[in-house]
Amino acid sequence: MQQAEKKQRENWGSRFGFLMAAAGSAVGLGNIWRFPYLTGENGGGAFIVVYLICIVVVGLSIMTAEFAVGRRTGLAAVGAYKSQNKNWTFAGALGVLSGFFIMGFYPVVGGWSLAYMVKSVTGLLAAPEAIGDVFGGFIGAPVEPLAWMIVYLAINLVIVAKGIAGGIEKAGKVLMPTLFVLLLFIIFRSVSLPGAAAGLSFLFKPDWSAVNGSTVLAALGQAFFSLSLGMGCMITYGSYLNKKENLPSNALTVVAMDTSVAIMAGLAIFPALFAFGMEPTQGPGLVFVVVPSIFAAMGSIGTLFSVIFFAALTVAALTSSLSLMEVVVAYLIDEKSMPRKTATYLTSAIMAVMCVLSSLSLGVMSKVTVFGVGAFDFFDILTDKIFLAIGGMLLAIFVGWFMKKEDLKDELTNGGTVKFGLFEVWYNLVKFVIPVAIAVVAYFGITAIAQKSLMIFGLLIILVLAIFSKKL
Ligand code: PFF
Protein backbone atom coordinates (compact mmCIF):
# COMPACT_ATOMS: atom_id res chain seq x y z
CA MET A 1 0.00 0.00 0.00
CA GLN A 2 2.69 2.37 1.04
CA GLN A 3 4.77 1.44 -1.99
CA ALA A 4 1.82 2.00 -4.28
CA GLU A 5 1.21 5.39 -2.68
CA LYS A 6 4.81 6.25 -3.18
CA LYS A 7 4.70 5.52 -6.87
CA GLN A 8 1.63 7.68 -7.36
CA ARG A 9 3.27 10.66 -5.74
CA GLU A 10 4.08 13.39 -8.13
CA ASN A 11 7.27 15.26 -7.64
CA TRP A 12 7.73 18.99 -7.72
CA GLY A 13 8.49 20.27 -11.20
CA SER A 14 11.70 21.88 -10.07
CA ARG A 15 13.67 22.70 -6.99
CA PHE A 16 12.57 26.30 -7.39
CA GLY A 17 8.93 25.21 -7.53
CA PHE A 18 9.26 23.30 -4.29
CA LEU A 19 11.08 26.09 -2.51
CA MET A 20 8.48 28.61 -3.59
CA ALA A 21 5.67 26.38 -2.36
CA ALA A 22 7.31 25.68 1.00
CA ALA A 23 8.39 29.29 1.41
CA GLY A 24 4.93 30.32 0.21
CA SER A 25 3.40 28.36 3.06
CA ALA A 26 5.90 29.74 5.55
CA VAL A 27 5.89 33.40 4.54
CA GLY A 28 2.50 34.84 5.30
CA LEU A 29 0.59 36.91 7.80
CA GLY A 30 2.78 35.33 10.46
CA ASN A 31 5.79 37.27 9.24
CA ILE A 32 4.31 40.60 8.31
CA TRP A 33 1.28 40.98 10.53
CA ARG A 34 2.02 38.84 13.56
CA PHE A 35 5.80 39.00 14.06
CA PRO A 36 5.98 42.81 14.31
CA TYR A 37 3.12 43.13 16.77
CA LEU A 38 4.41 40.32 18.97
CA THR A 39 7.80 42.01 18.94
CA GLY A 40 6.13 45.27 19.93
CA GLU A 41 4.14 43.68 22.73
CA ASN A 42 7.09 41.71 24.08
CA GLY A 43 9.63 44.45 24.42
CA GLY A 44 11.48 44.48 21.09
CA GLY A 45 15.09 43.31 20.74
CA ALA A 46 15.08 40.73 23.53
CA PHE A 47 12.06 39.02 21.97
CA ILE A 48 13.85 38.94 18.62
CA VAL A 49 16.93 37.31 20.15
CA VAL A 50 14.81 34.62 21.83
CA TYR A 51 12.90 34.14 18.59
CA LEU A 52 16.12 33.68 16.60
CA ILE A 53 17.38 31.10 19.10
CA CYS A 54 14.10 29.18 18.72
CA ILE A 55 14.44 29.33 14.94
CA VAL A 56 18.02 28.06 14.84
CA VAL A 57 17.84 25.42 17.56
CA VAL A 58 14.28 24.17 17.18
CA GLY A 59 12.80 25.43 13.90
CA LEU A 60 15.58 24.38 11.57
CA SER A 61 15.85 20.90 13.13
CA ILE A 62 12.10 20.32 13.07
CA MET A 63 11.85 21.52 9.48
CA THR A 64 14.58 19.03 8.50
CA ALA A 65 12.82 16.29 10.49
CA GLU A 66 9.43 17.02 8.87
CA PHE A 67 10.94 16.88 5.37
CA ALA A 68 12.66 13.59 6.25
CA VAL A 69 9.48 11.97 7.62
CA GLY A 70 7.48 13.15 4.62
CA ARG A 71 9.90 11.95 1.99
CA ARG A 72 10.64 8.68 3.79
CA THR A 73 7.00 7.67 4.10
CA GLY A 74 5.75 9.39 0.96
CA LEU A 75 2.59 10.25 2.89
CA ALA A 76 0.84 13.30 4.32
CA ALA A 77 0.96 13.92 8.07
CA VAL A 78 -1.67 11.56 9.46
CA GLY A 79 -0.75 8.74 7.07
CA ALA A 80 2.94 9.24 7.76
CA TYR A 81 2.49 8.67 11.49
CA LYS A 82 -0.09 5.93 11.02
CA SER A 83 2.11 4.00 8.61
CA GLN A 84 4.80 3.75 11.29
CA ASN A 85 2.73 3.21 14.42
CA LYS A 86 -1.04 3.48 14.95
CA ASN A 87 -0.64 4.78 18.47
CA TRP A 88 0.88 7.87 16.91
CA THR A 89 -1.96 8.71 14.54
CA PHE A 90 -3.15 11.31 17.04
CA ALA A 91 -0.01 13.38 16.52
CA GLY A 92 -0.95 13.76 12.86
CA ALA A 93 -4.57 14.40 13.80
CA LEU A 94 -3.48 17.12 16.21
CA GLY A 95 -1.83 18.79 13.21
CA VAL A 96 -5.07 18.62 11.25
CA LEU A 97 -6.92 20.16 14.19
CA SER A 98 -4.30 22.93 14.40
CA GLY A 99 -4.74 23.71 10.71
CA PHE A 100 -8.49 23.76 11.20
CA PHE A 101 -8.32 26.12 14.18
CA ILE A 102 -5.79 28.44 12.56
CA MET A 103 -8.30 28.74 9.75
CA GLY A 104 -10.72 29.97 12.40
CA PHE A 105 -9.00 33.36 12.42
CA TYR A 106 -6.45 33.53 9.59
CA PRO A 107 -9.07 34.35 6.91
CA VAL A 108 -10.33 37.21 9.08
CA VAL A 109 -6.93 38.88 8.83
CA GLY A 110 -6.63 37.85 5.17
CA GLY A 111 -9.91 39.71 4.65
CA TRP A 112 -8.49 42.83 6.33
CA SER A 113 -5.59 42.74 3.91
CA LEU A 114 -7.93 42.41 0.95
CA ALA A 115 -10.02 45.30 2.27
CA TYR A 116 -6.97 47.50 2.72
CA MET A 117 -5.99 46.95 -0.90
CA VAL A 118 -9.26 48.62 -1.85
CA LYS A 119 -9.27 51.14 1.00
CA SER A 120 -5.87 52.38 -0.18
CA VAL A 121 -7.59 53.90 -3.21
CA THR A 122 -10.82 54.95 -1.54
CA GLY A 123 -9.55 57.65 0.77
CA LEU A 124 -7.80 55.83 3.61
CA LEU A 125 -4.53 57.63 2.91
CA ALA A 126 -6.16 61.04 2.48
CA ALA A 127 -6.63 61.50 6.22
CA PRO A 128 -3.39 60.22 7.81
CA GLU A 129 -4.37 61.28 11.32
CA ALA A 130 -7.46 59.06 11.19
CA ILE A 131 -5.72 55.85 9.99
CA GLY A 132 -5.58 54.34 13.48
CA ASP A 133 -9.24 55.04 14.23
CA VAL A 134 -10.29 53.75 10.83
CA PHE A 135 -8.66 50.41 11.56
CA GLY A 136 -10.27 50.12 14.99
CA GLY A 137 -13.67 51.01 13.58
CA PHE A 138 -13.29 48.65 10.63
CA ILE A 139 -12.34 45.44 12.43
CA GLY A 140 -15.00 45.94 15.09
CA ALA A 141 -17.80 46.57 12.59
CA PRO A 142 -20.51 43.91 12.35
CA VAL A 143 -20.74 43.51 8.57
CA GLU A 144 -17.87 44.90 6.50
CA PRO A 145 -15.00 42.73 7.77
CA LEU A 146 -17.24 39.66 7.50
CA ALA A 147 -17.86 40.38 3.84
CA TRP A 148 -14.12 40.62 3.15
CA MET A 149 -13.44 37.46 5.13
CA ILE A 150 -16.03 35.59 3.06
CA VAL A 151 -14.43 36.81 -0.16
CA TYR A 152 -11.02 35.72 1.09
CA LEU A 153 -12.29 32.32 2.21
CA ALA A 154 -14.14 31.85 -1.07
CA ILE A 155 -10.90 32.33 -3.01
CA ASN A 156 -9.36 29.56 -0.89
CA LEU A 157 -12.38 27.35 -1.41
CA VAL A 158 -12.36 27.64 -5.19
CA ILE A 159 -8.64 26.91 -5.44
CA VAL A 160 -8.64 23.98 -3.01
CA ALA A 161 -11.86 22.46 -4.41
CA LYS A 162 -10.35 22.38 -7.87
CA GLY A 163 -7.03 21.13 -6.53
CA ILE A 164 -5.29 23.81 -8.56
CA ALA A 165 -3.02 25.38 -6.03
CA GLY A 166 -0.48 25.48 -8.84
CA GLY A 167 -2.14 28.63 -10.16
CA ILE A 168 -1.69 30.57 -6.98
CA GLU A 169 1.84 29.27 -6.70
CA LYS A 170 2.53 30.83 -10.07
CA ALA A 171 1.13 34.12 -8.79
CA GLY A 172 3.31 33.66 -5.72
CA LYS A 173 6.40 33.36 -7.88
CA VAL A 174 5.82 36.92 -9.05
CA LEU A 175 4.23 38.49 -6.01
CA MET A 176 6.53 37.10 -3.34
CA PRO A 177 9.59 38.73 -4.89
CA THR A 178 7.46 41.86 -5.30
CA LEU A 179 6.70 41.81 -1.60
CA PHE A 180 10.38 41.45 -0.90
CA VAL A 181 11.30 44.47 -3.04
CA LEU A 182 8.48 46.53 -1.54
CA LEU A 183 9.62 45.70 1.96
CA LEU A 184 13.11 46.87 1.04
CA PHE A 185 11.62 50.09 -0.26
CA ILE A 186 9.53 50.61 2.87
CA ILE A 187 12.56 49.92 5.07
CA PHE A 188 14.46 52.58 3.18
CA ARG A 189 11.64 55.12 3.72
CA SER A 190 11.12 54.08 7.30
CA VAL A 191 14.71 54.38 8.50
CA SER A 192 15.18 57.72 6.78
CA LEU A 193 12.31 59.39 8.68
CA PRO A 194 13.37 61.83 11.39
CA GLY A 195 13.24 60.06 14.75
CA ALA A 196 13.68 56.59 13.23
CA ALA A 197 16.73 55.81 15.37
CA ALA A 198 14.57 55.11 18.41
CA GLY A 199 12.90 52.33 16.44
CA LEU A 200 16.22 50.79 15.53
CA SER A 201 17.37 50.76 19.12
CA PHE A 202 14.04 49.24 20.16
CA LEU A 203 14.78 46.43 17.70
CA PHE A 204 18.46 45.92 18.36
CA LYS A 205 19.07 46.87 21.99
CA PRO A 206 17.55 44.00 23.94
CA ASP A 207 15.81 44.91 27.18
CA TRP A 208 16.03 41.62 29.07
CA SER A 209 13.73 42.76 31.84
CA ALA A 210 10.85 42.28 29.40
CA VAL A 211 11.50 38.53 29.07
CA ASN A 212 9.64 35.92 31.14
CA GLY A 213 8.21 32.43 30.63
CA SER A 214 5.30 33.70 28.64
CA THR A 215 7.57 35.71 26.30
CA VAL A 216 9.68 32.65 25.59
CA LEU A 217 6.57 30.58 24.87
CA ALA A 218 5.31 33.34 22.58
CA ALA A 219 8.63 33.30 20.68
CA LEU A 220 8.64 29.52 20.40
CA GLY A 221 5.02 29.44 19.25
CA GLN A 222 5.70 32.18 16.73
CA ALA A 223 8.68 30.22 15.37
CA PHE A 224 6.42 27.22 14.73
CA PHE A 225 3.61 29.35 13.32
CA SER A 226 5.85 31.33 11.02
CA LEU A 227 7.70 28.30 9.66
CA SER A 228 4.45 26.30 9.23
CA LEU A 229 5.80 23.63 11.59
CA GLY A 230 4.26 21.37 14.20
CA MET A 231 1.17 20.49 12.19
CA GLY A 232 2.40 18.25 9.43
CA CYS A 233 2.32 20.78 6.64
CA MET A 234 6.00 20.36 5.86
CA ILE A 235 5.67 16.56 6.19
CA THR A 236 3.16 16.72 3.36
CA TYR A 237 5.39 18.99 1.26
CA GLY A 238 8.37 16.73 1.92
CA SER A 239 6.39 13.74 0.69
CA TYR A 240 6.37 15.28 -2.78
CA LEU A 241 10.07 15.97 -2.76
CA ASN A 242 12.37 14.30 -5.24
CA LYS A 243 14.78 11.70 -3.84
CA LYS A 244 17.72 13.63 -5.21
CA GLU A 245 17.02 16.80 -3.26
CA ASN A 246 19.23 17.68 -0.33
CA LEU A 247 16.79 17.94 2.60
CA PRO A 248 18.89 19.82 5.17
CA SER A 249 19.92 22.43 2.65
CA ASN A 250 16.33 22.92 1.47
CA ALA A 251 15.25 23.31 5.09
CA LEU A 252 17.95 25.90 5.63
CA THR A 253 16.85 27.87 2.58
CA VAL A 254 13.19 27.96 3.63
CA VAL A 255 14.07 28.94 7.19
CA ALA A 256 16.43 31.67 5.99
CA MET A 257 13.82 33.12 3.63
CA ASP A 258 11.10 33.11 6.25
CA THR A 259 13.28 34.68 8.91
CA SER A 260 14.58 37.39 6.59
CA VAL A 261 11.04 38.44 5.71
CA ALA A 262 10.08 38.65 9.40
CA ILE A 263 13.12 40.74 10.28
CA MET A 264 12.50 42.94 7.26
CA ALA A 265 8.93 43.51 8.39
CA GLY A 266 10.28 44.60 11.76
CA LEU A 267 12.75 46.94 10.11
CA ALA A 268 10.01 48.39 7.95
CA ILE A 269 7.63 49.05 10.80
CA PHE A 270 9.44 50.07 13.98
CA PRO A 271 11.57 52.98 12.77
CA ALA A 272 8.48 54.58 11.22
CA LEU A 273 6.37 53.78 14.26
CA PHE A 274 8.76 55.62 16.56
CA ALA A 275 9.14 58.44 14.06
CA PHE A 276 5.34 58.92 14.12
CA GLY A 277 5.28 58.73 17.91
CA MET A 278 2.98 55.69 17.93
CA GLU A 279 2.77 52.91 20.52
CA PRO A 280 4.67 49.64 19.83
CA THR A 281 2.19 47.71 21.97
CA GLN A 282 -0.91 48.45 19.93
CA GLY A 283 -1.36 44.78 18.94
CA PRO A 284 -2.86 43.32 15.78
CA GLY A 285 -3.40 46.69 14.12
CA LEU A 286 0.28 47.47 13.81
CA VAL A 287 0.94 46.74 10.14
CA PHE A 288 -2.48 48.07 9.09
CA VAL A 289 -1.81 51.39 10.76
CA VAL A 290 1.92 51.99 10.34
CA VAL A 291 2.33 50.97 6.68
CA PRO A 292 -0.55 53.13 5.37
CA SER A 293 0.80 56.01 7.47
CA ILE A 294 4.17 55.70 5.74
CA PHE A 295 2.53 55.71 2.32
CA ALA A 296 0.13 58.52 3.17
CA ALA A 297 3.05 60.90 3.47
CA MET A 298 4.10 60.20 -0.12
CA GLY A 299 1.28 61.58 -2.27
CA SER A 300 -0.32 59.67 -5.13
CA ILE A 301 2.63 57.38 -5.68
CA GLY A 302 2.08 56.30 -2.07
CA THR A 303 -1.42 55.18 -3.01
CA LEU A 304 -0.06 52.96 -5.74
CA PHE A 305 2.55 51.45 -3.42
CA SER A 306 -0.07 50.85 -0.78
CA VAL A 307 -2.27 48.93 -3.21
CA ILE A 308 0.67 46.81 -4.34
CA PHE A 309 1.75 46.19 -0.74
CA PHE A 310 -1.65 44.91 0.38
CA ALA A 311 -2.05 42.91 -2.83
CA ALA A 312 1.27 41.23 -2.17
CA LEU A 313 0.36 40.68 1.50
CA THR A 314 -2.94 39.11 0.43
CA VAL A 315 -1.16 36.72 -1.92
CA ALA A 316 1.44 35.85 0.73
CA ALA A 317 -1.48 35.11 3.06
CA LEU A 318 -3.22 33.03 0.40
CA THR A 319 -0.21 30.80 -0.28
CA SER A 320 -0.20 30.08 3.47
CA SER A 321 -3.92 29.59 4.04
CA LEU A 322 -4.17 27.29 1.03
CA SER A 323 -1.61 25.03 2.65
CA LEU A 324 -3.59 25.14 5.89
CA MET A 325 -6.87 24.28 4.23
CA GLU A 326 -5.20 21.58 2.18
CA VAL A 327 -3.95 19.83 5.34
CA VAL A 328 -7.55 19.50 6.55
CA VAL A 329 -9.02 18.60 3.16
CA ALA A 330 -6.28 16.04 2.44
CA TYR A 331 -7.05 14.34 5.76
CA LEU A 332 -10.74 13.99 4.88
CA ILE A 333 -9.88 12.70 1.40
CA ASP A 334 -7.13 10.26 2.45
CA GLU A 335 -8.43 9.01 5.78
CA LYS A 336 -12.20 9.45 5.54
CA SER A 337 -12.52 8.77 1.79
CA MET A 338 -14.45 11.96 1.16
CA PRO A 339 -14.55 13.39 -2.37
CA ARG A 340 -12.39 16.52 -2.69
CA LYS A 341 -15.29 18.86 -3.37
CA THR A 342 -17.39 17.63 -0.43
CA ALA A 343 -14.38 17.86 1.85
CA THR A 344 -13.62 21.40 0.73
CA TYR A 345 -17.20 22.68 1.01
CA LEU A 346 -17.66 21.09 4.40
CA THR A 347 -14.44 22.45 5.91
CA SER A 348 -14.97 25.89 4.38
CA ALA A 349 -18.48 26.10 5.79
CA ILE A 350 -17.27 25.32 9.31
CA MET A 351 -14.30 27.64 8.93
CA ALA A 352 -16.66 30.42 7.83
CA VAL A 353 -18.69 30.02 11.02
CA MET A 354 -15.55 30.06 13.18
CA CYS A 355 -14.29 33.15 11.35
CA VAL A 356 -17.61 34.96 11.77
CA LEU A 357 -17.34 34.37 15.52
CA SER A 358 -13.69 35.48 15.50
CA SER A 359 -14.41 38.66 13.62
CA LEU A 360 -17.42 39.55 15.76
CA SER A 361 -15.40 38.88 18.91
CA LEU A 362 -13.42 42.02 18.04
CA GLY A 363 -16.57 44.12 18.04
CA VAL A 364 -20.18 43.45 18.91
CA MET A 365 -19.46 40.12 20.59
CA SER A 366 -16.46 41.29 22.60
CA LYS A 367 -18.24 40.43 25.84
CA VAL A 368 -18.81 36.80 24.85
CA THR A 369 -15.89 34.77 26.14
CA VAL A 370 -14.87 31.16 26.76
CA PHE A 371 -12.03 30.54 29.22
CA GLY A 372 -11.77 34.31 29.50
CA VAL A 373 -11.10 35.02 25.82
CA GLY A 374 -13.12 35.84 22.69
CA ALA A 375 -13.27 33.54 19.68
CA PHE A 376 -10.38 35.18 17.82
CA ASP A 377 -7.99 34.80 20.75
CA PHE A 378 -9.35 31.35 21.50
CA PHE A 379 -8.27 29.96 18.13
CA ASP A 380 -5.09 32.00 18.05
CA ILE A 381 -3.81 31.18 21.55
CA LEU A 382 -4.81 27.54 21.43
CA THR A 383 -2.90 26.87 18.21
CA ASP A 384 0.01 29.21 18.51
CA LYS A 385 0.76 28.86 22.19
CA ILE A 386 0.15 25.18 22.62
CA PHE A 387 -0.89 22.92 19.73
CA LEU A 388 1.97 23.74 17.37
CA ALA A 389 4.70 23.52 19.99
CA ILE A 390 3.34 20.24 21.36
CA GLY A 391 2.92 19.01 17.77
CA GLY A 392 6.60 19.78 17.20
CA MET A 393 7.57 18.07 20.43
CA LEU A 394 5.63 14.94 19.44
CA LEU A 395 7.31 14.92 16.05
CA ALA A 396 10.74 15.19 17.66
CA ILE A 397 9.96 12.31 20.04
CA PHE A 398 8.58 10.23 17.20
CA VAL A 399 11.60 10.81 14.98
CA GLY A 400 14.15 10.44 17.78
CA TRP A 401 12.70 7.43 19.55
CA PHE A 402 10.47 5.59 17.09
CA MET A 403 12.30 5.84 13.80
CA LYS A 404 15.56 4.04 13.02
CA LYS A 405 18.64 6.18 13.15
CA GLU A 406 20.06 4.50 10.03
CA ASP A 407 16.87 5.23 8.11
CA LEU A 408 17.06 8.87 9.05
CA LYS A 409 20.69 9.07 8.07
CA ASP A 410 19.92 7.36 4.80
CA GLU A 411 17.10 9.80 4.10
CA LEU A 412 19.03 12.92 5.02
CA THR A 413 22.10 11.96 3.02
CA ASN A 414 20.17 10.53 0.06
CA GLY A 415 21.59 7.08 0.69
CA GLY A 416 25.04 8.40 1.43
CA THR A 417 25.37 10.41 -1.77
CA VAL A 418 25.24 13.88 -0.18
CA LYS A 419 26.99 15.05 2.94
CA PHE A 420 25.17 16.08 6.12
CA GLY A 421 28.09 16.79 8.42
CA LEU A 422 25.85 17.89 11.29
CA PHE A 423 23.80 14.69 11.33
CA GLU A 424 24.85 13.71 14.88
CA VAL A 425 24.18 17.21 16.18
CA TRP A 426 20.78 17.26 14.51
CA TYR A 427 19.92 13.77 15.77
CA ASN A 428 20.78 14.56 19.37
CA LEU A 429 18.95 17.85 19.24
CA VAL A 430 15.82 16.12 17.96
CA LYS A 431 16.06 13.13 20.26
CA PHE A 432 17.01 14.78 23.53
CA VAL A 433 17.25 18.56 23.55
CA ILE A 434 14.13 19.66 21.68
CA PRO A 435 11.55 17.51 23.50
CA VAL A 436 12.92 18.61 26.87
CA ALA A 437 13.30 22.24 25.81
CA ILE A 438 9.71 22.43 24.53
CA ALA A 439 8.36 20.76 27.66
CA VAL A 440 10.23 23.23 29.86
CA VAL A 441 9.18 26.27 27.83
CA ALA A 442 5.58 25.06 27.75
CA TYR A 443 5.57 24.48 31.50
CA PHE A 444 6.96 27.89 32.40
CA GLY A 445 4.93 29.56 29.67
CA ILE A 446 1.70 28.09 30.94
CA THR A 447 2.48 29.07 34.51
CA ALA A 448 3.23 32.65 33.47
CA ILE A 449 0.40 33.18 31.01
CA ALA A 450 -2.92 34.82 31.89
CA GLN A 451 -5.09 32.29 30.04
CA LYS A 452 -4.19 29.21 32.12
CA SER A 453 -7.56 27.51 31.92
CA LEU A 454 -7.51 27.75 28.12
CA MET A 455 -4.07 26.16 28.02
CA ILE A 456 -5.21 23.31 30.26
CA PHE A 457 -8.22 22.84 28.02
CA GLY A 458 -5.79 22.57 25.07
CA LEU A 459 -3.74 19.91 26.86
CA LEU A 460 -6.93 17.98 27.57
CA ILE A 461 -7.85 18.00 23.89
CA ILE A 462 -4.44 16.53 23.08
CA LEU A 463 -4.94 13.86 25.73
CA VAL A 464 -8.33 12.91 24.33
CA LEU A 465 -6.85 12.65 20.83
CA ALA A 466 -4.09 10.41 22.19
CA ILE A 467 -6.59 8.11 23.88
CA PHE A 468 -8.60 7.71 20.70
CA SER A 469 -5.52 7.59 18.48
CA LYS A 470 -6.41 4.30 16.80
CA LYS A 471 -9.83 5.59 15.76
CA LEU A 472 -8.49 8.66 13.96
N1 PFF B 1 3.39 30.15 8.23
C1 PFF B 1 2.17 30.87 7.96
C2 PFF B 1 2.41 32.34 8.28
O1 PFF B 1 3.46 32.70 8.79
O2 PFF B 1 1.53 33.14 8.00
C3 PFF B 1 1.00 30.33 8.72
C4 PFF B 1 0.90 28.83 8.66
C5 PFF B 1 0.74 28.20 7.42
C6 PFF B 1 1.04 28.07 9.80
C7 PFF B 1 0.71 26.81 7.34
C8 PFF B 1 1.02 26.70 9.74
C9 PFF B 1 0.86 26.07 8.50
F1 PFF B 1 0.86 24.79 8.43
Side-chain angles (χ1 to χ4, degrees):
M1 171 69 192
Q2 208 179 311
Q3 280 305 320
E5 288 256 11
K6 250 185 203 168
K7 282 210 194 84
Q8 283 166 12
R9 287 262 143 180
E10 280 177 44
N11 280 330
W12 299 94
S14 64
R15 172 155 201 242
F16 182 71
F18 165 76
L19 281 176
M20 288 317 279
S25 167
V27 176
L29 295 170
N31 307 60
I32 293 168
W33 161 71
R34 201 161 202 284
F35 176 77
Y37 92 73
L38 280 182
T39 303
E41 281 180 345
N42 288 290
F47 177 80
I48 297 187
V49 174
V50 178
Y51 176 74
L52 291 176
I53 295 172
C54 293
I55 291 283
V56 175
V57 178
V58 183
L60 188 53
S61 308
I62 297 286
M63 178 85 72
T64 308
E66 290 206 7
F67 283 168
V69 171
R71 195 173 69 175
R72 188 83 198 167
T73 58
L75 296 167
V78 177
Y81 277 110
K82 202 186 237 177
S83 70
Q84 306 289 311
N85 185 334
K86 287 220 171 30
N87 288 323
W88 277 88
T89 310
F90 83 99
L94 173 63
V96 174
L97 192 65
S98 304
F100 191 57
F101 277 2
I102 295 176
M103 286 299 280
F105 70 93
Y106 206 92
V108 174
V109 185
W112 297 348
S113 179
L114 208 52
Y116 266 61
M117 209 171 110
V118 175
K119 284 184 191 293
S120 300
V121 277
T122 54
L124 174 73
L125 306 186
E129 52 323 312
I131 289 175
D133 294 341
V134 168
F135 179 77
F138 165 63
I139 64 163
V143 179
E144 198 192 346
L146 296 188
W148 289 108
M149 177 275 288
I150 293 292
V151 174
Y152 181 87
L153 199 53
I155 301 175
N156 284 271
L157 180 150
V158 170
I159 295 171
V160 174
K162 293 202 170 145
I164 46 156
I168 197 78
E169 270 152 26
K170 285 210 188 82
K173 279 184 197 168
V174 180
L175 277 156
M176 298 275 280
T178 310
L179 184 67
F180 204 78
V181 174
L182 257 167
L183 275 176
L184 278 178
F185 173 78
I186 302 174
I187 292 172
F188 180 73
R189 284 292 302 190
S190 183
V191 296
S192 54
L193 290 167
L200 291 173
S201 59
F202 179 76
L203 282 178
F204 297 116
K205 286 218 183 90
D207 166 14
W208 294 105
S209 66
V211 175
N212 62 19
S214 118
T215 327
V216 178
L217 181 61
L220 181 72
Q222 172 63 13
F224 277 101
F225 186 88
S226 189
L227 294 171
S228 303
L229 296 176
M231 52 162 281
C233 186
M234 292 299 172
I235 298 183
T236 312
Y237 279 12
S239 73
Y240 292 106
L241 203 49
N242 190 299
K243 284 285 176 200
K244 288 197 219 68
E245 285 298 339
N246 183 333
L247 298 181
S249 90
N250 272 296
L252 182 64
T253 310
V254 176
V255 169
M257 282 166 57
D258 187 73
T259 308
S260 332
V261 174
I263 300 292
M264 283 169 72
L267 277 173
I269 287 179
F270 287 101
L273 177 124
F274 278 85
F276 296 144
M278 295 174 181
E279 276 303 313
T281 51
Q282 58 186 278
L286 210 53
V287 72
F288 292 96
V289 175
V290 177
V291 169
S293 303
I294 297 174
F295 289 134
M298 291 167 55
S300 53
I301 191 79
T303 308
L304 179 66
F305 281 137
S306 185
V307 175
I308 303 176
F309 176 81
F310 285 108
L313 181 59
T314 305
V315 171
L318 272 173
T319 54
S320 302
S321 56
L322 288 170
S323 73
L324 284 160
M325 195 187 257
E326 184 63 34
V327 167
V328 184
V329 169
Y331 167 75
L332 295 173
I333 298 175
D334 292 349
E335 306 294 326
K336 304 288 160 208
S337 317
M338 231 183 235
R340 175 170 279 273
K341 285 214 161 58
T342 318
T344 315
Y345 295 152
L346 182 71
T347 44
S348 305
I350 307 175
M351 285 165 185
V353 174
M354 299 194 300
C355 287
V356 166
L357 294 175
S358 287
S359 186
L360 294 180
S361 76
L362 304 173
V364 291
M365 276 174 58
S366 63
K367 298 248 154 40
V368 185
T369 59
V370 227
F371 298 112
V373 295
F376 192 107
D377 289 342
F378 177 87
F379 295 127
D380 181 6
I381 295 172
L382 209 49
T383 48
D384 181 71
K385 296 257 164 50
I386 186 139
F387 282 4
L388 297 184
I390 302 283
M393 179 171 97
L394 292 172
L395 178 95
I397 297 173
F398 178 74
V399 168
W401 299 86
F402 292 83
M403 284 179 79
K404 290 208 194 73
K405 190 174 177 184
E406 312 83 77
D407 288 354
L408 292 164
K409 183 149 198 180
D410 183 68
E411 198 59 45
L412 289 172
T413 60
N414 298 351
T417 55
V418 295
K419 259 185 85 131
F420 180 30
L422 292 174
F423 177 78
E424 288 297 328
V425 177
W426 170 82
Y427 186 73
N428 286 303
L429 274 176
V430 169
K431 185 166 181 147
F432 302 107
V433 180
I434 293 176
V436 176
I438 295 181
V440 170
V441 173
Y443 176 78
F444 286 104
I446 293 173
T447 23
I449 208 169
Q451 302 85 1
K452 279 188 203 48
S453 51
L454 176 58
M455 306 294 269
I456 291 166
F457 173 68
L459 290 173
L460 277 177
I461 294 185
I462 300 175
L463 190 68
V464 171
L465 287 177
I467 293 171
F468 293 103
S469 190
K470 293 208 171 88
K471 296 210 163 55
L472 303 162

